[in-house]
Amino acid sequence: MATGATLLTDLPFRRPHPLTLLRPSDIPSFYPLHISLQNNRLRSHFRCSIAEGSTALSPSNASSQSSILDCVVVGGGISGLCIAQALATKHPDVAPNIIVTEAKDRVGGNITTVERDGYLWEEGPNSFQPSDPILTMVVDSGLKDDLVLGDPDAPRFVLWNGKLRPVPAKPNDLPFFDLMSIGGKIRAGFGALGIRPPPPGREESVEEFVRRNLGDEVFERLIEPFCSGVYAGDPSKLSMKAAFGKVWRLEQNGGSIIGGTFKALQERNKTTKPPRDPRLPKPKGQTVGSFRKGLTMLPNAISTCLGSKVKLSWKLSSISKVDDGGYSLTYETPEGLVPILSRSVIMTVPSYIAGTLLRPISGKAADALSKFYYPPVASVTISYPKGAIRKECLIDGELKGFGQLHPRSQGVTTLGTIYSSSLFPNRAPDGRVLLLNYIGGATNTGILSQKESELIEVVDRDLRKILINPNAEDPLPLSVRVWPQAIPQFLIGHLDLLDTAKAGLREAGMEGLFLGGNYVCGVALGRCVEGAYEAAAEVAGFLSKKVYK
């Protein structure tokens, strides 16, 4: 899998976070780049041309001395593509000569949109939160007019005691929602103000942090299902610091969650913000976004913008440091082995693939990268007639909302369900509803041994307990997609492992070799894009300050 090879996604059941999975898309292949390495010395005066509007090198025009790229991005998933796009748009003077290499014959990692028989569905991430970084990527890639946004007032639901209960969307909803008891709300309020046990002085799990700060009900009825939705993970093992660092830092910086929030607001008000890019759309409220023809439009559009910089069916077989400080990479391509030189490299493939490639360079880094855990997740897409929805689940006669999450304690196997045909337009034929369901994760790895028909049966059985009339006709199954290694788990010790991997590369003298992707920056699609801008700035800083001016 390429970068972003994981994840249950960007549906914001809680304000800062999402519910999504990532998948691949189709794109035509490009003629590969060949660079002669007869002399492995890096020359600062020579730059090869690989950008749009320049000529890709081949054996007939490559220099026999040295042909040097500024950066090779290994992995054509959403992280890798966005890093390359960020380098091209934000740092063109520092890194004009870059390529993105992808072992598969398509870009996009796990982003997969399918259109058939009047339906349009996602088998990877379903949506993203429209932050300014991802909107910038959308505009720079020419997709502004194709952007679609969900209704910000559409409710999100959590299953509790046999009933779908709305999650509060605004602070003034808090006193009235019935997902929690009055006692649970009071406990959460006191805890948020700082009336709760002190931090234990060690790295806490998500469960420990939330129970200590906000109480049992917040954990069991909000955070546990949210962790299932975003990470497909086990909150007793996920690290609060690594998985939800922004919330963790509130207590660290302000003594409590509320104290940290006020302190963050004060600091933000003291800081002069640059003017917002006037090209960017202005989403209303807490919503999610996609595109007219699904998420696959984004990697395809970025690939089109990058043009001949994108190299498909290029499988990296080896990487090594050369005497003058750059990197030699050898690729297996449809045209044979292709060696290239680059001043910098960023690995955006999953950690287990990066570890295998980097083992000859640093056993320490490889060992650390091999320890990240990716549980299996399946997306099950099915359709029912509108009349199959239970009347008590309808709003004004329609199925409205973003979707529903299911705490593990509520007797259902499915992690959550997204109301795809309610979320965005033109996702299903008239008279039908389209539901995207996720199943599996860290607490249910047995899905790997189940047949597709069995997974559909489990999802249908769960939905008939909650959303679908028990006597409704059988669902129309559209897709079952099982991802054996899906979302990287940000477990306790995750950040230490990541630091160990980076330290291993430094100790091996691998300056200019960077790690990127969702196990580094975060699993939500939006975080992958934000992390791409951060990674591009890091690469550009290295190139401008340290090498070959």
Side-chain angles (χ1 to χ4, degrees), residues 157-360:
F157 299 98
V158 169
L159 174 68
W160 193 257
N161 287 340
K163 181 181 176 182
L164 290 175
R165 303 172 191 269
V167 174
K170 304 180 291 294
N172 57 2
D173 293 339
L174 293 173
F176 307 107
F177 77 107
D178 69 349
L179 181 57
M180 290 173 56
S181 69
I182 293 175
K185 295 174 187 177
I186 293 172
R187 167 63 179 89
F190 279 129
L193 288 168
I195 304 172
R196 44 73 177 118
R202 56 173 171 76
E203 187 173 6
E204 285 183 286
S205 70
V206 171
E207 179 175 0
E208 291 171 324
F209 179 94
V210 175
R211 287 190 188 274
R212 179 174 60 81
N213 275 279
L214 300 173
D216 294 342
E217 286 193 19
V218 170
F219 172 74
E220 293 165 1
R221 305 183 191 192
L222 284 169
I223 302 306
E224 188 273 330
F226 175 70
C227 288
S228 295
V230 176
Y231 281 92
D234 181 347
S236 69
K237 297 178 181 179
L238 289 172
S239 162
M240 188 68 194
K241 180 180 179 180
F244 303 109
K246 288 183 180 179
V247 179
W248 177 84
R249 283 189 290 274
L250 293 177
E251 183 186 29
Q252 297 295 308
N253 296 337
S256 69
I257 291 175
I258 294 294
T261 300
F262 279 123
K263 188 173 182 180
L265 289 172
Q266 289 173 346
E267 292 174 355
R268 189 171 67 182
N269 291 335
K270 292 177 184 177
T271 305
T272 303
K273 278 187 174 183
R276 188 172 187 266
D277 188 339
R279 302 176 304 154
L280 303 187
K282 296 180 180 179
K284 297 178 181 179
Q286 295 294 318
T287 187
V288 293
S290 183
F291 302 98
R292 180 176 51 82
K293 289 294 185 180
L295 288 181
T296 193
M297 292 187 76
L298 181 59
N300 286 355
I302 296 172
S303 182
T304 298
C305 290
L306 293 171
S308 60
K309 294 177 181 179
V310 177
K311 308 298 172 186
L312 299 178
S313 300
W314 274 40
K315 182 180 179 181
L316 181 61
S317 59
S318 68
I319 177 172
S320 60
K321 195 78 178 284
V322 295
D323 292 343
D324 285 350
Y327 292 89
S328 170
L329 301 93
T330 301
Y331 283 91
E332 300 171 14
T333 79
E335 284 73 23
L337 291 180
V338 176
I340 60 176
L341 287 175
S342 181
R343 297 184 170 93
S344 65
V345 177
I346 181 161
M347 308 286 290
T348 71
V349 292
S351 62
Y352 50 89
I353 295 176
T356 299
L357 291 167
L358 295 176
R359 183 162 295 282

Side-chain angles (χ1 to χ4, degrees), residues 3 89 126 261 325 357:
T3 302
T89 56
N126 179 77
T261 300
L357 291 167

Side-chain angles (χ1 to χ4, degrees), residues 23-75:
R23 313 289 146 95
S25 56
D26 294 325
I27 207 100
S29 86
F30 296 88
Y31 188 80
L33 166 75
H34 295 264
I35 299 180
S36 169
L37 292 183
Q38 294 177 14
N39 184 341
N40 274 355
R41 296 191 56 79
L42 299 171
R43 303 286 178 85
S44 61
H45 65 271
F46 185 89
R47 288 183 181 274
C48 68
S49 254
I50 309 182
E52 217 173 26
S54 56
T55 305
L57 295 180
S58 66
S60 60
N61 60 16
S63 166
S64 63
Q65 295 295 312
S66 64
S67 303
I68 310 166
L69 292 162
D70 296 305
C71 183
V72 172
V73 182
V74 181

